[in-house]
Amino acid sequence: MNSRELILKKVRQNKPDLLPLPILEAYPQGDIDLTDKFGTFLKNVGGDIYLAKDVQEARAHLTQKFQLSESIKVADYTDTNLLKQDPHSFEDVFVTIMRGQWGVAENAAIWIPEEYLPGKQRVLPFICQHLVIYLPSDALVPTMYEAYQKIGTQNFGGYGVFIAGPSKTADIEQSLVIGAHGPRSLTVYLIEKQQL
């Protein structure tokens, strides 16, 4: 028996018995305004939030905000052609528009499953200049604990990500830089009517 086999044998001999996972209690948040708390944390992490009655109102607002025109490249979740494109072709995307499934009030993180990414292109939320997320106003939960309970074991395509705020870093002299590695801004539209 060589040393590797000896070590593995001792590890197996000293392996603890399997125990059931602990049952965690929910963290009561009291009577809080989820929209207000989510908006406050989103602004604290560098994002913007707007309330819109529907997607059309949100689209009209963001068109004006980013001065969108035919010459500006936009990756929209409604564009089914994105699925077939080479991810390298997105290097000049100015605005990415996508949906969010759950928003977490305690830290303004937004859960994005793979199917909500435009064309299921994982690079788009991180390579664009400006990121826009439509989130149903009734999809806010108080804590990450409750978000993970919602996500649970659902099939989300094998990939999902929480996004909170635009890209930022303070690595150099603790000077905060927004948009250092990814989007320079994050704009969230809370959509009153779930039409996403």
Side-chain angles (χ1 to χ4, degrees), residues 52-90:
K53 65 180 180 184
D54 53 32
V55 171
Q56 290 73 27
E57 182 178 301
R59 180 68 187 211
H61 184 269
L62 74 92
T63 298
Q64 185 174 20
K65 178 178 181 176
F66 295 108
Q67 301 290 307
L68 298 184
S69 65
E70 293 294 324
S71 62
I72 294 177
K73 194 168 183 178
V74 176
D76 192 318
Y77 71 94
T78 59
D79 185 353
T80 55
N81 293 323
L82 294 174
L83 187 62
K84 304 169 191 164
Q85 293 187 20
D86 179 354
H88 294 96
S89 68
F90 301 130

Side-chain angles (χ1 to χ4, degrees), residues 55 75-79 97-99 116-119 134 195-196:
V55 171
D76 192 318
Y77 71 94
T78 59
D79 185 353
I97 304 168
M98 58 189 204
R99 301 173 296 159
Y116 282 38
L117 296 171
Y134 296 158
Q195 302 175 358
L196 303 177

Side-chain angles (χ1 to χ4, degrees), residues 74-132:
V74 176
D76 192 318
Y77 71 94
T78 59
D79 185 353
T80 55
N81 293 323
L82 294 174
L83 187 62
K84 304 169 191 164
Q85 293 187 20
D86 179 354
H88 294 96
S89 68
F90 301 130
E91 64 182 342
D92 57 347
V93 169
F94 189 69
V95 177
T96 293
I97 304 168
M98 58 189 204
R99 301 173 296 159
Q101 188 175 31
W102 301 108
V104 184
E106 71 174 352
N107 60 8
I110 300 171
W111 171 248
I112 314 289
E114 185 171 40
E115 66 183 280
Y116 282 38
L117 296 171
K120 295 186 178 181
Q121 296 284 353
R122 296 178 184 179
V123 69
L124 278 171
F126 308 106
I127 201 169
C128 62
Q129 293 293 313
H130 302 280
L131 181 59
V132 173

